Amino acid sequence: MEPGPGDGAEPLSKNAKRELDNTQREDKSRRKEDGKARQALKASSQSQKTMAENYEVETPMLHMIPGGAAARPFMTDHNDLNIKQYMRISPELHLKQLVVGGLDRVYEIGKQFRNEGIDLIHNPEFTTCEFYMAYADYHDLMEMTEDMLSGMVKELTGGYKVKFHANGYNKEPIEIDFTPPFRRIDMIADLEKMANLNIPKYLASEEANKYLIDACARFDVECAHPMTSARLLDKLVGHFLEGTCVNPTFIMNHPEIMSPLAKSHRSIKGLTERFELFINQHEICNAYTELNDPVVQRQRFADQLKDRQSGDDEAMAMDEAFCTALEYGLPPTGGWGLGIDRLAMLLTDSQNIKEVILFPAMKPQDEPAAARGTISLLNNSPVAAENNKFWEVPLFSSFGKTKDNGGLHL
């Protein structure tokens, strides 16, 4: 999380006061560089080629049921309808409903909102590109991902290799090689090989859950409650596999218990046709052959509901309207999503996601005494004003600091 004033870290004004931050010569040029990188990502011939045959759409930001991802949503109220609504955590289910309706290739670039922690690679509000292509599978999507990202990097930088200060700006940069084809890791098989495990094949069983709990304990891998098999596997993969993914690497063939919206693998029972692309040890892209069987989808949602009832508030909710849409017929479809902010970080050598977002989320600080009176007038409540918090920090304290002497912190 963001450090507070007085703990030796760089004050927060650098990110909180963007209008002043942008007046500094170094940061002004930096912000222009980040903005140009975002424009270049969208305008590159490789991204244009990928999206040329897709129809750009806009889907709702407010959802009745938060779905399409395993994440905790922001909740709000609709006063006129007197109902709870949720800021979207993913556009996936709406985009697949458009494919059901006959739009064979659709994509959307837009904001997602997840009520989760803030760190170097996470911001509660972030930008993604998602597309859905009828009559494609995850093999097609892996090939497209390789072509698009390697071609984009070559077009923007003149080569396939980029330098990135993964260990700090005062250390030597690492080299990330986007030369295709990208490395591929089979999630379960390579996890078993690297950790010397023999995970029970039926991953939804009590036996598998106990085995994974014991494995995490043996390797000092922490997993917060509830310790579902999906969460335990995710922690083990993060411990053993993700750290090896510096150059672009596909971790593929995830278990069904980790992928409720992905189609079952055509030849390996219990797994799905899914991949995640990791670069510099962080997830950049997530894609799969879409599950299009409404009966199986209902069962997957029911299994997620069990995890939710056991305390996993990131498990997906039952979406009966989406299951009904599948009954009309979703053709074989490949779905793909990429985090634009994280890709921009890589291509601009930015260690902190705040550096590529003009107005990132900030940790609240106590407001000045002068502001409390103003807020009390607005709220008509001295108590509310006293307890109110807002995004404020010392005004000029970060002027003149650079990444080299100011530091970037979790």
Side-chain angles (χ1 to χ4, degrees):
M1 299 295 290
E2 280 288 344
D7 61 2
E10 181 180 2
L12 301 182
S13 57
K14 188 174 181 64
N15 289 303
K17 292 292 184 181
R18 278 299 203 224
E19 68 278 13
L20 301 177
D21 172 28
N22 288 340
T23 64
Q24 300 176 77
R25 179 176 299 174
E26 177 194 354
D27 291 311
K28 185 176 182 179
S29 62
R30 179 81 188 178
R31 209 68 60 212
K32 287 182 178 180
E33 177 188 338
D34 295 337
K36 288 178 180 178
R38 280 178 175 269
Q39 290 178 341
L41 290 177
K42 296 178 182 179
S44 73
S45 61
Q46 286 299 320
S47 60
Q48 293 286 348
K49 177 182 176 183
T50 302
M51 299 305 171
E53 299 177 352
N54 292 266
Y55 185 65
E56 184 174 12
V57 298
E58 293 182 356
T59 59
M61 291 281 190
L62 290 174
H63 290 185
M64 298 288 290
I65 300 172
R72 186 183 301 113
F74 288 96
M75 186 174 67
T76 187
D77 296 286
H78 193 298
N79 292 335
D80 191 46
L81 298 179
N82 192 28
I83 57 173
K84 298 286 186 185
Q85 289 195 303
Y86 302 88
M87 299 296 290
R88 75 175 180 193
I89 56 176
S90 168
E92 176 170 340
L93 303 189
H94 283 96
L95 291 174
K96 285 195 281 195
Q97 286 174 268
L98 292 176
V99 179
V100 169
L103 295 178
D104 285 352
R105 295 189 174 193
V106 294
Y107 79 94
E108 181 172 9
I109 297 175
K111 294 286 189 181
Q112 317 309 325
F113 307 87
R114 298 183 182 177
N115 196 356
E116 300 169 349
I118 302 172
D119 58 31
L120 290 178
I121 60 169
H122 291 94
N123 192 68
E125 177 182 350
F126 59 99
T127 306
T128 67
C129 173
E130 291 203 20
F131 73 75
Y132 293 81
M133 180 183 300
Y135 312 108
D137 64 14
Y138 81 141
H139 293 294
D140 300 315
L141 298 180
M142 276 190 276
E143 185 177 335
M144 290 179 59
T145 304
E146 288 175 337
D147 291 344
M148 182 174 70
L149 291 185
S150 62
M152 185 185 299
V153 169
K154 187 172 184 180
E155 181 178 342
L156 297 178
T157 68
Y160 289 125
K161 298 178 181 180
V162 299
K163 301 288 187 181
F164 188 79
H165 287 82
N167 302 308
Y169 292 99
N170 58 345
K171 304 279 182 66
E172 284 296 313
I174 64 170
E175 184 177 78
I176 300 176
D177 189 354
F178 284 82
T179 304
F182 298 163
R183 176 186 173 212
R184 301 185 182 194
I185 293 177
D186 190 289
M187 177 181 280
I188 298 299
D190 283 278
L191 175 61
E192 289 183 322
K193 187 184 304 181
M194 187 168 291
N196 193 26
L197 298 174
N198 186 20
I199 302 171
K201 299 303 179 188
Y202 183 45
L203 291 168
S205 66
E206 288 294 328
E207 176 192 5
N209 183 256
K210 185 178 185 307
Y211 184 91
L212 294 170
I213 290 174
D214 292 342
C216 285
R218 191 189 332 154
F219 294 109
D220 293 324
V221 175
E222 294 184 2
C223 180
H225 287 281
M227 288 190 283
T228 62
S229 294
R231 289 165 61 90
L232 292 161
L233 272 173
D234 183 63
K235 294 297 183 182
L236 287 168
V237 169
H239 183 77
F240 286 104
L241 299 183
E242 293 175 10
T244 70
C245 304
V246 177
N247 293 330
T249 304
F250 293 121
I251 298 181
M252 54 191 291
N253 300 333
H254 297 51
E256 291 175 351
I257 60 171
M258 299 178 72
S259 313
L261 298 170
K263 194 165 192 171
S264 296
H265 199 282
R266 65 195 72 184
S267 59
I268 309 175
K269 186 175 178 60
L271 304 185
T272 63
E273 297 190 348
R274 176 186 174 190
F275 70 81
E276 292 175 292
L277 177 66
F278 281 79
I279 306 175
N280 187 37
Q281 306 178 29
H282 301 307
E283 179 195 349
I284 299 294
C285 175
N286 182 34
Y288 35 85
T289 308
E290 299 294 339
L291 174 57
N292 58 354
D293 184 328
V295 175
V296 176
Q297 185 62 81
R298 280 193 180 90
Q299 184 57 53
R300 296 271 190 90
F301 280 148
D303 293 339
Q304 287 285 296
L305 187 59
K306 293 177 185 176
D307 287 347
R308 180 176 284 271
Q309 290 170 344
S310 71
D312 185 356
D313 57 3
E314 293 186 353
M316 294 186 191
M318 173 67 75
D319 192 329
E320 183 58 37
F322 175 68
C323 292
T324 300
L326 291 183
E327 293 177 351
Y328 290 96
L330 175 68
T333 299
W336 180 96
L338 177 139
I340 292 179
D341 305 299
R342 290 187 185 177
L343 184 57
M345 288 175 64
L346 288 171
L347 297 182
T348 59
D349 194 15
S350 299
Q351 286 187 324
N352 195 325
I353 196 170
K354 292 180 176 64
E355 295 296 327
V356 297
I357 298 176
L358 288 176
F359 293 94
M362 300 298 300
K363 185 177 179 180
Q365 303 294 312
D366 289 329
E367 71 275 15
R372 285 200 290 269
T374 303
I375 294 173
S376 66
L377 292 176
L378 294 174
N379 291 349
N380 196 28
S381 169
V383 174
E386 188 65 30
N387 294 330
N388 204 347
K389 304 281 187 181
F390 75 115
W391 318 111
E392 178 67 296
V393 292
L395 195 58
F396 299 109
S397 54
S398 71
F399 274 27
K401 289 200 174 185
T402 68
K403 288 180 176 176
D404 290 325
N405 61 33
L408 295 166
H409 304 271
L410 285 170

